[in-house]
Amino acid sequence: MANTVSPEIDQPDAEGTGGPTARGSGDAADDPAAAEPGIGLGEMLVPIRGQLILACVLQALSAIVGLVPLIAVAELARELFGDDPVENSRLWTIAAVAAGALVLRLALMLGSVSITHFADNDLQLHLRRRMADHMGRVPLGWFDDRDGGEIKKVVVDDVGTMHHLVAHSFTDLTAAIVTPIAAMAYLFTIDWRLALILFIPFAVGVFLFARQMQGYTDRMAAYNVALEEVNVGAVEFVQGISVIKTFGQTGRAHGRFISAANRFVDYFWNWVSGLLRISSIAEVALSPLMTLTVLTATGTWFVSRGWITAVDLVVFFLIGLALTAPILILGQAMNELQLGTEAARRIGVLLATPVLPETEEPQIPADDTVVFDAVGFSYDGDREVLQDINLRLVPGTVTALVGPSGSGKSTLAKLLCRFWDPTAGAITLGGVDLRDVERDELYGHVGFVFQDVQLLRATVAENIALADPEASAAEIEAAARAANIHERIVALPDGYQSIVGETALLSGGEAQRVSIARALLADAPILVLDEATSFADPESEAVIQEALSTLAAGRTLVVIAHRLSTIVDADEIVVLQDGRITERGSHDQLVTAGGEYQRQWQADQRVNASPTGGSDTNGEPA
């Protein structure tokens, strides 16, 4: 009798998303954009810490060696304009040292840059593998509250944002610190008085620059919030333009966008205008023009008083300019450092998302009998979505779950797939708690077909073979034929090798049949069906129903029912209300019991008898 049921699907229960991840725990997984604490930047950089240290050491040596050619020019001036006879051999020696220093500086810089870029590649690979592994162990329900764009931003965009942090920022900061210190130390050995005077505008510029960076993190966070409001307003206006025009709300929707844009402009201007004076003074103090002005005024006076020689002043002109050059690029390095740090925070929060616990002593189920033993579940630890659920699924039978929206049907079905763990009681498979069954073993027993079909940007064959990567072409084709999708696939430009989203543009119903073919190939003995025909037109729905009937043959079936007429032959119908089982039995028993099922059945019959025979927008009988 299990083979005759035509599984229909109800709308997902509105119980919320996110869920507990540990046995007996009711804490929901935190949102990746706001959860704290996450994994820190320091911990994240551990795999490449040695490479970064080596790169910074090479950069520091490069900064020091970079001063040698300037010093060599000064020494050549001493030789050429000094009182002693010019020694050609010494001139060539100085020139050779300068040339060697340039080559060594170039080698050190290339070595430093190469190390940081290789380190960046290593870190990106490490982080993406780590996140992929971690997301493979979080509760599947965690993904219900997140769209692909949000996860893609962390896995792809934020990891990419860290490139400049790893490949450039640390070495730029090293150069910005080492170069002025080395240059100033050398100048102090020539004349400490002039060096001290030269240091004053440099110190003023650095102080103002540091003051300008105070509160940068908080201001940037507010900047991002204001910019996000503009983005939301723009998307809302563009995506809803047809509805907005239909109801004559163009001015109101456009006004919301303009208001968000004005708030962004006001905030940005208030922030930037307050920094203009400080920024301008800092840039003037650190500019080469200021260095030249100070050296020309004070240096000439020092030479006229005989405190230093003209050659020594030349050294100050050459080396003094090296003081400010690294500081001028420090602002960009600090900005990239802030962006990279924020990206690393979001990555760390994702990596800190609680995972479903894995048993250290996995057990093998004895058979495919499923038992819900006093199962309770809560998403947030406060309101219980399911309470005291006791249910036994005998192999080869069909169990239908019915009830009003929000009664707990979808949650109950997803607990069997271990999207979350119960917060009370236990679910056993073949006498073994699901929490003691390894994931691969569990999904070898339990399969599911839901309304939200997920296909990868891969070939159609690869999408079907996700359930069994070792499946042959003949096995893939057999599954596609059974799912009534083979003819559509061979009509694609590249047949089974067509890429989903590129050469394979599938409708919702066609994508659903691909997912059914995948489930057929998996050949799991227990199958959960939830909203498998929700996005199909009547013609596609009939084809999908036929494919589902093939899929259901000989399996233990858990069906979330929408039209009650499709589950009248179910072995057991379970009625849920407010998270509790209120009725159970066969169709005939429940129709005569005078309870909630009888009321829903009568409503279902009235809908089928009406001229339109439809349902309301919530998926419940009209």
Side-chain angles (χ1 to χ4, degrees):
M1 95 129 289
N3 301 345
T4 65
V5 174
S6 176
E8 288 292 338
I9 314 302
D10 198 5
Q11 293 293 337
D13 294 337
E15 291 113 3
T17 53
T21 59
R23 195 175 302 194
S25 169
D27 297 332
D30 292 330
D31 181 84
E36 295 292 351
I39 295 174
L41 177 61
E43 181 182 349
M44 204 174 298
L45 297 179
V46 165
I48 59 168
R49 182 177 296 169
Q51 294 165 275
L52 290 179
I53 292 174
L54 176 59
C56 289
V57 169
L58 293 180
Q59 183 66 31
L61 293 174
S62 172
I64 295 172
V65 173
L67 297 175
V68 172
L70 301 177
I71 297 174
V73 172
E75 292 302 318
L76 284 175
R78 292 182 192 278
E79 291 294 322
L80 292 173
F81 301 109
D83 296 331
D84 299 330
V86 176
E87 297 182 13
N88 290 334
S89 60
R90 180 166 172 77
L91 294 178
W92 282 109
T93 300
I94 295 174
V97 169
L102 286 173
V103 173
L104 179 58
R105 171 179 166 78
L106 178 61
L108 291 171
M109 288 181 63
L110 287 176
S112 176
V113 170
S114 298
I115 289 173
T116 56
H117 279 77
F118 279 119
D120 173 58
N121 287 335
D122 291 343
L123 181 64
Q124 290 198 27
L125 178 62
H126 170 77
L127 287 177
R128 289 191 172 120
R129 282 179 171 175
R130 186 175 175 184
M131 284 189 284
D133 176 70
H134 190 83
M135 287 189 292
R137 293 183 291 115
V138 301
L140 291 178
W142 180 83
F143 295 92
D144 286 354
D145 199 30
R146 292 155 180 85
D147 58 33
E150 180 182 348
I151 297 174
K152 177 258 183 187
K153 183 182 187 305
V154 178
V155 176
V156 179
D157 299 344
D158 284 338
V159 173
T161 299
M162 291 186 65
H163 162 77
H164 203 284
L165 171 69
V166 174
H168 302 284
S169 293
F170 290 115
T171 51
D172 287 347
L173 289 172
T174 299
I177 294 172
V178 172
T179 301
I181 292 176
M184 190 59 66
Y186 178 72
L187 293 179
F188 265 92
T189 63
I190 297 177
D191 189 278
W192 66 270
R193 295 163 298 182
L194 186 57
L196 188 60
I197 293 174
L198 182 61
F199 180 73
I200 293 174
F202 174 79
V204 170
V206 171
F207 170 77
L208 293 176
F209 180 79
R211 184 177 175 184
Q212 180 182 339
M213 296 301 296
Q214 287 180 350
Y216 180 87
T217 301
D218 294 336
R219 291 191 179 100
M220 181 56 72
Y223 170 88
N224 289 330
V225 170
L227 185 60
E228 180 65 22
E229 290 180 357
V230 176
N231 292 334
V232 170
V235 170
E236 178 189 54
F237 182 70
V238 173
Q239 290 185 344
I241 190 65
S242 59
V243 177
I244 291 169
K245 285 188 173 182
T246 299
F247 292 96
Q249 298 296 314
T250 305
R252 180 180 298 178
H254 184 261
R256 283 198 294 269
F257 168 69
I258 293 298
S259 296
N262 287 336
R263 286 193 298 271
F264 171 76
V265 171
D266 290 342
Y267 172 78
F268 185 73
W269 175 247
N270 289 334
W271 178 16
V272 172
S273 61
L275 299 177
L276 285 178
R277 181 178 301 175
I278 296 177
S279 177
S280 299
I281 297 175
E283 289 188 11
V284 169
L286 293 171
S287 66
L289 180 61
M290 175 61 71
T291 300
L292 292 174
T293 300
V294 171
L295 287 177
T296 301
T298 59
T300 303
W301 183 47
F302 273 47
V303 171
S304 65
R305 299 295 297 269
W307 293 345
I308 62 172
T309 65
V311 174
D312 289 337
L313 183 58
V314 171
V315 175
F316 270 88
F317 274 112
L318 291 173
I319 305 298
L321 294 177
L323 282 172
T324 58
I327 301 300
L328 296 178
I329 65 171
L330 188 60
Q332 180 65 25
M334 290 296 295
N335 184 57
E336 294 293 343
L337 181 63
Q338 291 285 352
L339 293 175
T341 301
E342 182 63 19
R345 185 195 68 80
R346 289 189 292 268
I347 294 171
V349 169
L350 187 149
L351 290 173
T353 302
V355 300
L356 282 174
E358 294 287 343
T359 179
E360 296 181 358
E361 298 179 358
Q363 302 178 40
I364 305 297
D367 55 36
D368 294 315
T369 302
V370 176
V371 176
F372 288 75
D373 183 14
V375 168
F377 180 76
S378 171
Y379 288 103
D380 53 19
D382 296 326
R383 185 178 68 87
E384 286 193 306
V385 178
L386 295 174
Q387 303 176 54
D388 196 28
I389 300 296
N390 292 282
L391 189 62
R392 183 181 182 87
L393 307 180
V394 179
T397 62
V398 175
T399 301
L401 305 179
V402 302
S405 178
S407 60
K409 303 184 300 296
S410 290
T411 300
L412 179 61
K414 290 180 178 179
L415 286 179
L416 174 57
C417 304
R418 209 187 173 201
F419 276 37
W420 303 283
D421 283 337
T423 51
I427 304 173
T428 61
L429 172 63
V432 179
D433 193 309
L434 292 187
R435 290 167 287 202
D436 294 324
V437 181
E438 285 188 331
R439 283 181 296 168
D440 292 343
E441 179 71 22
L442 173 63
Y443 296 122
H445 288 265
V446 180
F448 44 86
V449 178
F450 293 149
Q451 62 167 324
D452 186 15
V453 180
Q454 298 294 332
L455 298 182
L456 304 181
R457 189 172 288 273
T459 67
V460 176
E462 288 171 335
N463 271 280
I464 296 175
L466 281 176
D468 183 7
E470 303 301 323
S472 65
E475 291 171 327
I476 293 172
E477 181 179 328
R481 286 182 180 275
N484 291 327
I485 192 63
H486 170 73
E487 297 299 330
R488 176 69 178 98
I489 294 175
V490 295
L492 294 171
D494 299 315
Y496 280 85
Q497 298 307 309
S498 300
I499 304 296
V500 173
E502 296 179 8
T503 54
L505 302 177
L506 303 175
S507 68
E510 291 166 347
Q512 187 63 276
R513 278 179 275 160
V514 171
S515 74
I516 292 172
R518 179 192 299 165
L520 281 164
L521 192 61
D523 198 26
I526 303 170
L527 187 63
V528 178
L529 298 178
D530 183 0
E531 278 293 334
T533 61
S534 60
F535 297 132
D537 55 65
E539 182 178 353
S540 297
E541 181 178 359
V543 179
I544 294 174
Q545 290 294 352
E546 184 179 345
L548 287 173
S549 296
T550 303
L551 178 60
R555 291 178 169 84
T556 302
L557 215 60
V558 178
V559 181
I560 297 180
H562 167 42
R563 290 194 289 271
L564 301 187
S565 58
T566 63
I567 49 98
V568 294
D569 292 328
D571 295 286
E572 184 175 37
I573 299 172
V574 176
V575 182
L576 289 106
Q577 287 184 286
D578 298 325
R580 293 181 179 273
I581 296 177
T582 57
E583 297 177 82
R584 67 173 67 196
S586 67
H587 170 74
D588 292 337
Q589 291 171 337
L590 294 176
V591 164
T592 60
E596 173 65 20
Y597 183 83
Q598 183 189 60
R599 186 192 68 78
Q600 290 194 26
W601 173 253
Q602 292 172 347
D604 188 75
Q605 293 302 294
R606 287 195 299 271
V607 169
N608 292 333
S610 68
T612 56
S615 63
D616 65 16
T617 57
N618 294 323
E620 297 298 333

